[in-house]
């Protein structure tokens, strides 16, 4: 109560002096079926902080000082950002592990936020570990994303994300963010929530090849801005799944493979030593059968990872 009273917890409300509320006309009779309007909320926030009328102009979202993403060994990050922007902010960045996929995507998101007045950044990742890593990286950019690995039910996650979307809608924030598992993204309720606010949602899918399943591609969220990230965007033994990813996220707009990363000095040079093993006809038949079983079970693997 004290936090709300002193505006230390203002994620979904604002406290103002009763005299101010009366003078501004905020105090009035409301019927039980009548919800205060967005304009009422805007005026309340403006009274509490008249210098910005309730808006948080930068929201702390900044490219870290000293991060050179346009020159030197990581100049390819700038090329990746430019390629995605030139593709109407849809497409897949195929960048080798260690080449800076995360940084490239967050730089692109920051640049997008400068053009879109209210932006919701949703990052999906296949595992809890990657969710935590994303949250750490986003903190370096000044973001404080909600993450679904913090515990709770899907209903609680929906309320939290909906609350952040509401802050954008009423002008109480300029940028909001959330990091979810692929399992959460695949839920119909979550996808419906994103579609409701599709005009200002950026979906960044890490390890995007994991989303090439019927569970996701049968009804993906129709958001305006889409970015897929992967060192290997093509799904092995699954051409239809790969084609579905390209239809939804857009084409591979930028590639930066292992050899490119090593040549640029991003990664330490190393050698592959292959040891081929030949299968008998019987072993090859067994291998093929097991591969088919794995393909059928793959859509359910995200639940095990989470």
């Amino acid at each position: 109560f004290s936090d709300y009273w002193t505006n230390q917890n203002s994620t979904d409300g604002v406290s103002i002096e009763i005299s101010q509320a009366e003078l501004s006309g905020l105090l009035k009779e409301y019927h039980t079926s009548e919800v205060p309007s967005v304009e009422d909320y805007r005026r309340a926030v403006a009274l509490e902080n008249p210098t910005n009328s309730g808006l948080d102009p930068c929201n702390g979202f900044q490219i870290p000082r000293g991060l050179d993403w346009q020159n030197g060994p990581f100049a390819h990050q700038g090329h990746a950002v430019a390629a995605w922007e030139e593709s109407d902010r849809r497409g897949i960045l195929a960048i080798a592990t260690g080449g800076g996929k995360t940084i490239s995507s967050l730089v692109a998101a920051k640049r997008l936020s400068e053009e879109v007045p209210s932006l919701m950044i949703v990052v999906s990742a296949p595992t809890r570990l990657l969710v935590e890593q994303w949250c750490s990286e986003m903190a370096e950019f000044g973001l404080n994303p909600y993450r679904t690995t913090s515990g709770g039910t899907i209903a609680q996650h929906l309320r939290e994300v909906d609350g952040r979307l509401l802050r954008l809608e009423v002008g109480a924030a300029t940028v909001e963010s959330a990091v979810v598992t692929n399992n959460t993204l695949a839920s119909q309720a979550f996808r419906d929530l994103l579609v409701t606010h599709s005009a200002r949602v950026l979906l960044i899918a890490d390890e995007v090849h994991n989303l090439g399943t019927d569970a996701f591609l049968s009804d993906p969220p129709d958001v305006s801005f889409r970015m897929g990230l992967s060192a290997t965007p093509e799904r092995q033994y699954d051409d239809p799944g790969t084609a579905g990813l390209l239809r939804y996220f857009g084409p591979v707009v930028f590639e930066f493979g292992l050899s490119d990363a090593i040549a640029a000095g991003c990664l330490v040079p190393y050698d592959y030593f292959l040891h081929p093993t030949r299968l008998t006809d019987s072993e090859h038949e067994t291998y093929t059968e097991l591969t088919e079983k794995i393909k059928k079970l793959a859509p359910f693997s995200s639940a095990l990872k989470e």
Side-chain angles (χ1 to χ4, degrees), residues 126-139:
T127 66
R128 295 173 63 92
L129 177 60
L130 283 175
V131 168
E132 298 301 326
Q133 290 178 356
W134 268 94
C135 290
S136 297
E137 292 279 359
M138 293 169 77

Side-chain angles (χ1 to χ4, degrees), residues 267-285:
L267 299 178
V268 176
Y270 61 92
D271 296 316
Y272 279 115
F273 295 96
L274 302 180
H275 300 276
T277 300
R278 300 188 181 281
L279 304 179
T280 65
D281 290 343
S282 175
E283 289 173 334
H284 188 273
E285 185 177 341

Side-chain angles (χ1 to χ4, degrees), residues 158-227:
L158 290 173
R159 284 197 297 270
E160 289 288 344
V161 174
D162 189 48
R164 296 197 175 214
L165 287 165
L166 179 60
R167 280 173 54 79
L168 292 171
E169 187 171 310
V170 301
T174 56
V175 179
E176 289 286 358
S177 57
V179 186
V180 305
T181 60
N182 288 354
N183 220 29
T184 301
L185 182 65
S187 72
Q188 188 63 53
F190 188 83
R191 285 182 289 183
D192 289 344
L193 179 61
L194 295 185
V195 169
T196 303
H197 305 271
S198 61
R200 55 175 180 271
V201 174
L202 164 62
L203 174 61
I204 301 174
D206 195 14
E207 305 296 341
V208 69
H209 52 273
N210 287 286
L211 291 177
T213 63
D214 289 339
F216 176 76
L217 294 176
S218 60
D219 186 24
D222 186 19
V223 299
S224 297
F225 311 110
R226 308 170 190 175
M227 178 186 293

Side-chain angles (χ1 to χ4, degrees), residues 210-259:
N210 287 286
L211 291 177
T213 63
D214 289 339
F216 176 76
L217 294 176
S218 60
D219 186 24
D222 186 19
V223 299
S224 297
F225 311 110
R226 308 170 190 175
M227 178 186 293
L229 305 174
S230 180
T232 54
E234 292 187 2
R235 289 172 59 83
Q236 192 173 24
Y237 311 124
D238 186 11
D239 292 340
T242 299
L245 287 174
L246 295 176
R247 282 195 301 272
Y248 177 71
F249 285 97
V252 176
V253 296
F254 182 80
E255 293 186 71
F256 192 76
L258 279 173
S259 59

Side-chain angles (χ1 to χ4, degrees), residues 31 80 85 133 178 228:
H31 297 290
E85 291 176 343
Q133 290 178 356

